[in-house]
């Protein structure tokens, strides 16, 4: 039965209870409690719905073929012959929400159910097997976890007896058992999360490729989530490996506020963060959606760290709610430094400038329309930033203070004229509005 968008939204949505009495905790403890609570939020967006629909379609197509009738089912159960399917590579920048999405998918269907397999036998059925990879994990550990998860299901009287779980010593033998159990349980997709932790090496990808190819032999479609850098490494493999692992890639990218449905999704997430914070976050989701997106590139992980730092700062100042002033302070803070470097580099890449940061570069060819919209959005923001700088430069000190007090956006201008310590400052020519705008056009590729 086809799941409607409303059903998918209702089943995947998760919002924790709003925080109460956060001000009763010490500042840093409260800030981390806020962060831990907000990271549990999952709200369906147009982009996550598209990914979920794609995975469900692959799983449904497989199930329709693998369980077309009782004869086919019993053949796969007792004599599994697997023709491995191409894997589905879910990729996106680190912190975009891939793991949260995959966890949400587990809420789409009941964990287990039982069906009458004929002859008085009742078999457990489940839709997905989800496994979060830990550092240094290999195919034997994943197979072990898969087999144990299957054997742990309680079988009612009259069910087919299964062997007891034991440590996987032979991947080949374990794979044969895993294939049978996958058929028995009606698993429609195997999901591996945090693929980058399969190896600690930044260069080796042979082990990762071997593990992924092994998992395709379980039978059901393999869905694996991976950050950009791991995908770039897999792209260095031979054609036969790339065909099996990368030909069916599904991107999960941050929202673009220039697209109305993306803006609404981003705003809805910010609104939910405010509700769950229990009053600890005090900003306007409508007015502040764009600067928050600029500070984080729309990446949830960076946004929540920004909130954590901002709330900790507010508490140390004797206040119990973080405002946009605290968030702007957090963005410029040393604690947010690594995130800020990433955000600025991502913006630079979006504008078409060369970069050596493969961990930030989309590893496939992006849709031309999306590329154009993203570039135009960033160009518009940069032009506005230059205009703000020019406006501030044209004001007297007193006027500038009044301008900022009235809410003037002089973001990015802080410290822009500072020189490193010990470096002599050259006398600059007088700045005018026209010269600043011209400089901005040259730097960001704007046409006059």
């Amino acid at each position: 039965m086809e799941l409607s968008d409303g059903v998918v939204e209702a089943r995947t949505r998760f919002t924790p209870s709003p925080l109460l009495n956060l001000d009763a905790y010490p500042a840093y403890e409260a800030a981390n409690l806020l962060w831990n609570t907000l990271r549990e939020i999952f709200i369906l967006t147009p982009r996550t719905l598209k990914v979920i629909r794609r995975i469900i379609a692959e799983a449904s197509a497989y199930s329709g073929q693998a369980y077309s009738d009782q004869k086919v089912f019993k053949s796969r159960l007792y004599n599994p012959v697997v023709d491995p399917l191409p894997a589905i590579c879910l990729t996106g920048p680190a912190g975009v929400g891939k793991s949260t999405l995959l966890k949400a998918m587990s809420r789409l269907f009941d964990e287990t159910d039982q069906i009458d397999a004929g002859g008085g036998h009742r078999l457990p059925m489940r839709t997905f097997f989800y496994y979060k990879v830990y550092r240094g994990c290999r195919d034997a550990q994943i197979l072990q976890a898969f087999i144990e998860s299957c054997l742990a299901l309680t079988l009612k009287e009259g069910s087919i007896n299964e062997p007891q779980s034991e440590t996987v010593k032979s991947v080949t033998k374990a794979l044969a058992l895993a294939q049978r159990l996958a058929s028995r349980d009606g698993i429609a997709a195997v999901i591996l999360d945090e693929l980058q932790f399969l190896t600690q090496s930044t260069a080796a990808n042979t082990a990762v490729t071997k593990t992924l190819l092994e998992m395709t032999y379980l039978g059901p479609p393999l869905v694996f989530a991976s950050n950009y850098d791991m995908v770039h490494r897999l792209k260095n493999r031979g054609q036969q490996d790339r065909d099996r692992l990368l030909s069916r890639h599904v991107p999960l990218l941050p929202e673009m506020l220039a697209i109305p449905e993306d803006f609404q999704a981003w705003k809805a997430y910010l609104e939910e963060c405010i509700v769950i914070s229990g009053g600890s976050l005090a900003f306007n989701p409508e007015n502040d959606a764009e600067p928050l997106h600029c500070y984080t590139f729309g990446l949830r992980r960076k946004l929540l760290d920004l909130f954590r730092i901002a709330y900790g700062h507010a508490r140390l100042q004797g206040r119990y709610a973080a405002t946009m002033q605290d968030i702007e302070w957090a963005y410029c803070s040393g604690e947010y430094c690594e995130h800020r470097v990433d955000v600025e580099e991502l913006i630079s890449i979006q504008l078409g400038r060369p970069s050596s940061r493969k961990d930030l570069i989309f590893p496939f060819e992006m849709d031309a329309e999306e590329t154009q919209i993203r570039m135009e959005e960033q160009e518009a923001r940069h032009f506005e930033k230059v205009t703000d700088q020019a406006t501030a430069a044209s004001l007297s000190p007193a006027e500038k203070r009044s301008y900022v007090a009235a809410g003037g956006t002089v973001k990015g201008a802080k410290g822009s004229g500072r020189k490193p310590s010990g470096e002599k400052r050259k006398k600059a020519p007088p700045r005018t509005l026209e010269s600043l705008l011209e400089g901005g056009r040259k730097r960001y590729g704007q046409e006059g």
Side-chain angles (χ1 to χ4, degrees):
M1 181 178 70
E2 181 74 16
L3 296 177
S4 68
D5 290 352
V7 170
V8 174
E9 198 281 332
R11 292 186 183 181
T12 58
R13 183 185 183 93
F14 184 81
T15 52
S17 300
L19 288 163
L20 300 175
N21 302 321
L22 197 60
D23 54 351
Y25 295 87
Y28 290 117
E29 185 178 345
N32 279 292
L33 180 58
L34 175 66
W35 175 80
N36 267 309
T37 304
L38 295 180
R39 67 200 288 254
E40 296 179 20
I41 296 172
F42 181 82
I43 301 175
L44 194 69
T45 69
R47 291 180 180 272
T48 53
L49 176 61
K50 185 176 180 180
V51 172
I52 289 173
R53 286 289 184 205
R54 173 67 185 278
I55 294 174
I56 290 177
E58 297 279 357
S60 178
Y62 166 76
S63 296
Q65 183 270 329
Y67 305 104
S68 55
D69 56 46
Q70 193 176 94
K71 181 180 178 180
V72 172
F73 169 66
K74 289 185 176 179
S75 174
R76 294 181 68 90
L77 179 62
Y78 294 108
N79 186 31
V81 177
V82 174
D83 182 16
L85 299 169
I88 303 162
C89 173
L90 172 62
T91 190
V96 75
K98 298 184 295 295
S99 294
T100 310
L101 181 151
L102 294 179
K103 288 177 184 176
M105 285 199 67
S106 66
R107 298 191 288 271
L108 267 176
F109 304 95
D110 292 333
E111 178 63 23
T112 60
D113 199 356
Q114 294 202 347
I115 65 166
D116 185 354
H121 297 301
R122 293 189 64 80
L123 298 177
M125 301 295 288
R126 54 182 173 153
T127 306
F128 300 125
F129 169 72
Y130 170 87
Y131 185 79
K132 186 172 183 177
V133 174
Y134 56 88
R135 190 169 296 278
C137 188
R138 289 292 181 269
D139 47 0
Q141 289 96 322
I142 300 174
L143 281 174
Q144 178 83 43
F146 179 81
I147 291 170
E148 289 179 353
S149 75
C150 294
L151 299 181
L153 299 176
T154 302
L155 301 181
K156 294 183 178 179
E157 186 176 354
S159 300
I160 299 173
N161 292 325
E162 297 294 351
Q164 296 298 311
S165 175
E166 59 182 38
T167 303
V168 171
K169 297 179 181 178
S170 168
V171 170
T172 302
K173 292 181 180 179
L175 185 58
L177 174 59
Q179 289 170 339
R180 182 185 173 204
L181 292 173
S183 296
R184 183 203 73 175
D185 292 1
I187 294 175
V190 174
I191 299 173
L192 297 185
D193 193 11
E194 302 284 15
L195 175 69
Q196 60 272 15
F197 291 126
L198 275 173
T199 177
Q200 297 182 26
S201 170
T202 58
N205 56 24
T206 301
V208 175
T209 303
K210 177 178 179 295
T211 298
L212 289 175
L213 292 177
E214 288 278 6
M215 292 304 107
T216 64
Y217 278 92
L218 280 175
L222 171 67
V223 180
F224 68 93
S226 177
N227 291 344
Y228 290 166
D229 54 347
M230 179 59 73
V231 177
H232 280 294
R233 279 181 261 163
L234 290 174
K235 291 189 76 171
N236 291 325
R237 302 292 301 176
Q239 179 189 352
Q240 66 279 11
D241 293 338
R242 298 198 310 275
D243 284 353
R244 293 270 299 279
L245 300 179
L246 300 178
S247 61
R248 298 189 182 184
H249 56 270
V250 182
L252 179 60
L253 302 174
E255 286 90 358
M256 295 185 291
L257 301 193
I259 299 178
E261 54 265 33
D262 273 8
F263 178 83
Q264 291 302 320
W266 177 249
K267 188 179 74 166
Y269 180 74
L270 296 178
E271 290 171 345
E272 197 63 43
C273 287
I274 291 175
V275 171
I276 302 304
S277 76
S280 302
L281 297 175
F283 58 86
N284 186 315
E286 180 80 33
N287 297 336
D288 300 326
E290 184 170 348
L292 288 170
H293 194 275
C294 291
Y295 295 156
T296 63
F297 202 72
L299 299 174
R300 304 292 201 265
R301 184 186 301 166
K302 296 186 187 302
L303 177 71
L304 298 189
D305 252 2
L306 196 65
F307 288 161
R308 177 184 60 82
I309 298 168
Y311 180 71
H313 175 257
R315 286 292 303 274
L316 293 177
Q317 300 301 310
R319 291 178 282 105
Y320 295 95
T323 65
M324 274 304 293
Q325 284 71 34
D326 296 301
I327 291 170
E328 289 166 0
W329 180 92
Y331 177 77
C332 297
S333 70
E335 192 171 355
Y336 194 74
C337 173
E338 291 303 313
H339 289 313
R340 188 171 62 251
V341 168
D342 287 347
V343 168
E344 292 175 357
E345 187 68 15
L346 283 164
I347 291 172
S348 177
I349 293 169
Q350 198 85 86
L351 289 167
R353 299 172 192 160
S355 173
S356 60
R357 293 283 305 275
K358 285 194 172 183
D359 58 322
L360 302 179
I361 299 175
F362 185 65
F364 301 105
E365 185 175 328
M366 192 178 293
D367 178 76
E369 183 180 0
E370 174 138 346
T371 300
Q372 183 66 25
I373 294 174
R374 288 184 178 276
M375 179 178 291
E376 289 176 355
E377 184 175 69
Q378 293 299 342
E379 287 177 340
R381 286 179 181 176
H382 275 287
F383 190 72
E384 182 180 359
K385 177 180 174 181
V386 172
T387 303
D388 285 342
Q389 289 175 328
T391 300
S394 67
L395 300 175
S396 68
E399 290 172 331
K400 190 179 298 184
R401 287 193 295 270
S402 299
Y403 178 70
V404 173
T409 54
V410 195
K411 298 178 180 67
K414 287 185 179 180
S416 59
R418 295 178 185 172
K419 291 286 183 179
S421 178
E423 184 178 337
K424 293 183 178 179
R425 184 186 296 272
K426 295 181 180 179
K427 186 176 181 180
R431 290 186 295 178
T432 64
L433 177 60
E434 290 75 19
S435 66
L436 282 168
L437 288 174
E438 181 61 23
R441 294 190 188 98
K442 290 179 178 179
R443 180 176 180 184
Y444 301 118
Q446 296 282 351
E447 295 296 329

